[in-house]
Amino acid sequence: MTDASPISNSMQRIYQLVDPGSFAEIDALVEHDCIHFGADRRRVSGDGLVVGHARIDGRPVGIYAHDAAFLGGSSSRMHALKITKILDLALKAGMPVLGLNDSSGIRIHEGVDAGVQFGEVFYKTVRASGVIPQISILLGDCAGGAAYAPALTDFIIMVRDKSTMFLTGPTVIKQATGEIVSKEEIGGPILHAVTTGLAHFLADSVDDALEIARELLSFLPANNCVSQSSSQPADVSGSSAIAKLIPQVATQPYDVLDVIGEIVDDRHFLEVHRLFAPNVLTGFARLGGLTIGIVANQPKVLAGCLDVASSEKAARFIRFCDAFSIPILTLLDVPGYLPGLKQEAGGIIGAGAKLLHAYCEATVPKIALVLRKAYGGAHPTLANRWATDLTYALPDAEIAVMGPEAAVAVIFRRQIAEAEDPIAHKARLAAEYRDAHASAAYSARRGYVEALLPPDTIRPTLIASFCLLASKIDGTPRRKHSNIQL
């Protein structure tokens, strides 16, 4: 049978996403070739998958969209062929690819034929990784083998109360283990946005998801060969408000988003992974008209400590920025790595190594700014002297192997205990330690930081610094690839 209605929903979503009149469909007449289990009597032009190219904000993109109205959006052998064709075209044209996923999984009618062919989708997706941006927008279910396709892409956008992503559905789980679970429990958007970190963005609606995709694309280059221009905006003035946003007390929380707003152009910051590992922020902004990636400790969550989840989150973000030549700004206010049995047993050493590896391997311009403190192993990770091009600090910042109070508690444990006033004696020793080793001024005198920046000079200094590094020449030793701690 032939029916034009099944593709109408997916086509409508594409039209909503792309520039008006820009979409050109390819393989519109393709039909599946399965003859088993009555499938030969159920055919539709396009096979329930719309594929083509269009423009978003005037820039070319490749796009494909499932339609759950035909066989549950199940992924056929022909789907795989159509998706790999648009990936091949995107690689030739150097354009991003967006997938609007709504699939119940590999089409069971076709058995191994569909499963094997989707291996090519996975292969081509990996081959395109780091060459062209790939964005997955989940507008319904994404089940079984079909879940691997978005999982391999750069960014996943899920919709609240609508999207799911899982390998084995509730029915199979019940048969295999006896567990009774819902789709939301095993693969809902909250699970993936908060716990697994697979969802980079959580949208409130389909409209919101499409708008997020457009905004995200606005920060990204078309491919890994495109260079940014370093044109500066008319206003490069700094803000003195930063001094009021950062408390003097090292343990007092504040929202680093407020500080980011004072630094970047138009106070606009697109946060990535907002709900996952929120003790470290990642996202995109513009500074002096230049797209940059930002990694920042968030003092209002776990005091901004690095832990397993936040280390892996930041490492992945850094590797994306490096792949597409997006400079990185790191804002430090970190007491160190989160201590405890759970973190150690959970692999904090390996996770920290991943983050350190990502920073050291990245060749894009990297600038670090210590806002208030940088203690312990987190300091040479986030602002490694040899991996970072320029390091700055606020005048009152502290940089040390550990906080002054903790340091003197170790060094002078006996003297403090025997003092007539242990609390006062400890405070005096901490002040001496701070002046001797922990102040930003000490690091500046030793050449560990390039300059101490009064708050109102931060923005113009960072703009000038990124412009200076715009033509940075750097490379990696000849090798197939590094061996990151996965």
Side-chain angles (χ1 to χ4, degrees), residues 368-370 379 383-386 388-393 399-401 436-452:
L369 171 63
V370 182
H379 171 234
N384 186 283
R385 184 68 191 148
W386 287 265
T388 306
D389 299 300
L390 295 168
T391 302
Y392 300 111
I399 303 171
V401 293
H437 289 293
S439 70
Y442 174 81
S443 287
R445 289 194 297 271
R446 302 288 290 180
Y448 301 148
V449 300
E450 273 62 55
L452 303 181

Side-chain angles (χ1 to χ4, degrees), residues 34-359:
C34 179
I35 60 174
H36 303 292
F37 312 114
D40 55 330
R41 298 188 299 274
R42 303 185 67 183
R43 288 195 175 99
V44 66
S45 295
D47 201 28
L49 182 77
V50 180
V51 175
H53 53 88
R55 291 184 177 272
I56 294 179
D57 292 331
R59 301 166 59 197
V61 298
I63 193 165
Y64 66 88
H66 296 269
D67 198 305
F70 181 66
L71 295 179
S74 56
S75 298
S76 68
R77 189 180 75 88
M78 297 309 299
H79 282 202
L81 291 173
K82 291 175 72 171
I83 293 172
T84 54
K85 180 180 284 190
I86 196 62
L87 283 170
D88 288 339
L89 180 60
L91 282 169
K92 290 177 182 178
M95 62 185 180
V97 171
L98 297 93
L100 279 60
N101 300 82
D102 190 352
S103 171
S104 57
I106 300 296
R107 191 170 295 171
I108 300 175
H109 306 67
E110 299 186 12
V112 72
D113 289 336
V116 168
Q117 197 64 56
F118 258 84
E120 185 182 12
V121 174
F122 306 150
Y123 175 77
K124 291 289 179 67
T125 301
V126 172
R127 297 292 289 180
S129 180
V131 181
I132 54 173
Q134 300 178 78
I135 300 172
S136 297
I137 310 168
L138 274 54
L139 301 178
D141 292 338
C142 193
Y148 281 121
L152 290 170
T153 60
D154 298 308
F155 298 100
I156 294 176
I157 303 169
M158 296 186 74
V159 181
R160 196 184 300 272
D161 301 323
K162 193 173 184 68
S163 305
T164 63
M165 179 168 52
F166 49 83
L167 287 182
T168 52
T171 302
V172 176
I173 290 176
K174 183 178 180 181
Q175 291 174 345
T177 69
E179 291 179 279
I180 299 176
V181 294
S182 67
K183 291 193 298 184
E184 289 69 27
E185 288 176 308
I186 59 174
I190 299 299
L191 172 74
H192 289 310
V194 176
T195 305
T196 71
L198 278 174
H200 299 79
F201 299 93
L202 179 60
D204 293 325
S205 64
V206 171
D207 292 351
D208 186 32
L210 300 180
E211 185 55 39
I212 290 172
R214 291 181 65 97
E215 182 181 4
L216 175 59
L217 271 177
S218 74
F219 285 102
L220 308 182
N223 56 68
N224 66 342
C225 296
V226 175
S227 299
Q228 292 194 68
S229 62
S230 57
S231 59
Q232 296 187 22
D235 181 17
V236 297
S237 60
S239 170
S240 59
I242 294 176
K244 300 176 183 178
L245 296 173
I246 303 175
Q248 291 285 331
V249 180
T251 56
Q252 187 174 339
Y254 66 94
D255 193 343
V256 75
L257 280 171
D258 295 331
V259 176
I260 292 173
E262 296 296 326
I263 295 174
V264 302
D265 297 353
D266 303 320
R267 303 184 59 86
H268 183 53
F269 176 64
L270 177 62
E271 189 172 353
V272 177
H273 268 145
R274 182 174 66 85
L275 299 177
F276 178 65
N279 41 314
V280 169
L281 303 188
T282 56
F284 299 106
R286 291 182 180 86
L287 186 62
L290 186 76
T291 293
I292 63 169
I294 296 178
V295 177
N297 301 107
Q298 176 55 290
K300 75 173 188 176
V301 181
L302 295 178
C305 280
L306 292 176
D307 61 359
V308 172
S310 64
S311 296
E312 294 181 348
K313 162 184 169 178
R316 176 175 167 82
F317 181 76
I318 290 163
R319 287 173 67 81
F320 175 85
C321 289
D322 187 51
F324 290 98
S325 301
I326 298 173
I328 299 167
L329 170 64
T330 305
L331 301 176
L332 288 80
D333 192 340
V334 58
Y337 282 90
L338 186 65
L341 174 61
K342 183 177 179 181
Q343 287 295 307
E344 296 291 347
I348 186 63
I349 296 175
K354 293 176 189 177
L355 180 56
L356 185 55
H357 193 126
Y359 267 113

